[in-house]
Amino acid sequence: MKEQFKLENQLCFRLYTASRLITQAYYPLLSEHGLTYPQYLVLLVLWEKDAQPVNDIAKRLMLETNTVTPLLKRMEAEGILSRRKGKEDARQMIVSLTRKGRDLQDRLSDVPATVGGAVICHSVTPETVPGLFGMLDDVIATLKDNINDKPVKE
Amino acid sequence: MKEQFKLENQLCFRLYTASRLITQAYYPLLSEHGLTYPQYLVLLVLWEKDAQPVNDIAKRLMLETNTVTPLLKRMEAEGILSRRKGKEDARQMIVSLTRKGRDLQDRLSDVPATVGGAVICHSVTPETVPGLFGMLDDVIATLKDNINDKPVKE
DNA sequence: GTATTTTATATCGTTCACGATGCAAATATA
DNA sequence: TATATTTGCATCGTGAACGATATAAAATAC
């Protein structure tokens, strides 16, 4: 009843802290271009495939639309992307990169390597990264399933 | 210039997602007691050692005081803890648990095991957890150093 | 074809995170 | 002991996250 409450034994606290610190490592690289880290994630999704509905972006990032919608609106205000109603399905909002949004990929070309280099350490190297990725992917998949199963129609 | 931008190759996105999903797993367990996850972290710190100044709590959680102060004020309003000026150093605010705050430890006694069980999966087991902890601790330490080194007095 | 349900987004309120800045108490320096 | 600097905490503004709820369009049922 004591040991389990120690901060050192918490996986969540480690993930939470590591996530925050890496995001902070992105900060100087992104803010230079007027971007935040979640906005950068949206760009990663759109660079892979342009012109997607809000829902596809949200699903890819495993976020809710109530998080993504305001994010996209801010990016639209910055001229990074545009949002237009879907032609087939008028409920959808199709999000497309503007010229400015596409050009950012070149301007941010050294961001991944810079941040990647900053996290290399004794136990996290090109050799061990796949194992780490696997464990995190596994945790994510497990939790995702649990959450989806949760709404038990009583 | 393409591969490095893929979401699947990003450590940060995995950490960010895993962190968010575990926090969501805590939600039903904590909200029942009127707590959020960051508030739970504050409790973990205070259960280990009561009556700490704001700065010690912030350092332990690797957060800034501008994040912790409002958090503590909300918890004070909930009657979970109290804040009083330090006697030796009048700049300090000493944060102490109330009876209610101490009692929460018993009421939350099965939270760690419940969440811990929810993340157990193929590649994350009691055997592999120490390795995962080590890698995350290493990343955290490395990033923490980088951030502390950053303010280069030019 | 109208009613019901589902789906795609959006709005709202609260709570973090965090950069920037302010202020007062303590400490160091002159 | 005056002055400068550092330290501890707080305030402010902005941008996420996210639970709850709303709204309109599409799909389904009747």
Side-chain angles (χ1 to χ4, degrees), chain A residues 1-2 4-26 28 37-38 40-41 44-45 47-48 60-64 67 104-106 108-113 115 117-124 128-129 131-144 146-147 150, chain B residues 1-2 4-26 28 37-38 40-41 44-45 47-48 60-64 67 104-106 108-113 115 117-124 128-129 131-144 146-147 150:
Chain A
M1 160 71 148
K2 201 72 192 308
Q4 57 183 349
F5 278 124
K6 290 194 74 176
L7 211 53
E8 281 68 26
N9 297 331
Q10 311 291 326
L11 174 60
C12 187
F13 176 61
R14 281 179 171 81
L15 292 171
Y16 163 79
T17 303
S19 170
R20 283 178 33 246
L21 293 181
I22 299 200
T23 301
Q24 287 176 31
Y26 275 98
Y37 179 69
Y40 174 71
L41 290 181
L44 291 184
V45 170
W47 287 334
E48 280 184 23
R60 197 77 208 290
L61 300 178
M62 294 191 239
L63 291 166
E64 301 297 318
T67 297
L104 275 169
Q105 189 168 23
D106 289 309
L108 296 172
S109 57
D110 44 2
V111 167
V115 175
V119 298
I120 294 296
C121 51
H122 175 64
S123 57
V124 178
T128 62
V129 158
L132 178 56
F133 277 18
M135 288 195 272
L136 293 176
D137 287 343
D138 219 348
V139 167
I140 289 167
T142 304
L143 290 169
K144 196 107 193 81
N146 284 351
I147 288 166
K150 272 288 169 55
Chain B
M1 161 74 147
K2 201 72 191 307
Q4 56 183 351
F5 279 125
K6 291 195 75 176
L7 212 52
E8 282 68 26
N9 297 331
Q10 311 291 327
L11 173 59
C12 188
F13 177 61
R14 282 180 170 81
L15 292 171
Y16 162 79
T17 302
S19 171
R20 282 179 31 249
L21 293 181
I22 298 200
T23 300
Q24 287 177 31
Y26 276 98
Y37 179 69
Y40 174 70
L41 289 182
L44 292 183
V45 171
W47 287 334
E48 281 185 23
R60 196 78 208 291
L61 299 178
M62 292 189 241
L63 291 166
E64 300 298 318
T67 297
L104 275 168
Q105 190 169 24
D106 289 309
L108 296 171
S109 57
D110 45 1
V111 167
V115 176
V119 300
I120 294 296
C121 53
H122 176 62
S123 57
V124 178
T128 62
V129 159
L132 179 55
F133 276 19
M135 286 195 275
L136 293 175
D137 288 344
D138 219 350
V139 168
I140 289 167
T142 304
L143 290 169
K144 196 111 192 76
N146 283 352
I147 287 166
K150 272 286 169 57

Side-chain angles (χ1 to χ4, degrees), chain B residues 11-123:
Chain B
L11 173 59
C12 188
F13 177 61
R14 282 180 170 81
L15 292 171
Y16 162 79
T17 302
S19 171
R20 282 179 31 249
L21 293 181
I22 298 200
T23 300
Q24 287 177 31
Y26 276 98
Y27 182 78
L29 306 173
L30 297 179
S31 67
E32 185 180 352
H33 301 278
L35 291 171
T36 65
Y37 179 69
Q39 290 173 8
Y40 174 70
L41 289 182
V42 169
L43 286 179
L44 292 183
V45 171
L46 289 174
W47 287 334
E48 281 185 23
K49 183 177 183 303
D50 201 355
Q52 296 191 51
V54 172
N55 210 17
D56 288 16
I57 298 172
K59 280 215 176 75
R60 196 78 208 291
L61 299 178
M62 292 189 241
L63 291 166
E64 300 298 318
T65 64
N66 56 4
T67 297
V68 174
T69 294
L71 192 54
L72 294 174
K73 282 187 170 181
R74 282 186 286 267
M75 295 177 77
E76 185 181 34
E78 294 293 326
I80 295 168
L81 50 80
S82 65
R83 304 182 315 134
R84 64 165 203 283
K85 273 206 173 154
K87 290 193 176 85
E88 299 173 19
D89 190 332
R91 291 170 304 181
Q92 290 185 332
M93 279 295 262
I94 308 296
V95 180
S96 308
L97 290 170
T98 59
R99 177 62 184 273
K100 182 177 175 186
R102 280 189 298 275
D103 288 352
L104 275 168
Q105 190 169 24
D106 289 309
R107 315 185 67 195
L108 296 171
S109 57
D110 45 1
V111 167
T114 304
V115 176
V119 300
I120 294 296
C121 53
H122 176 62
S123 57

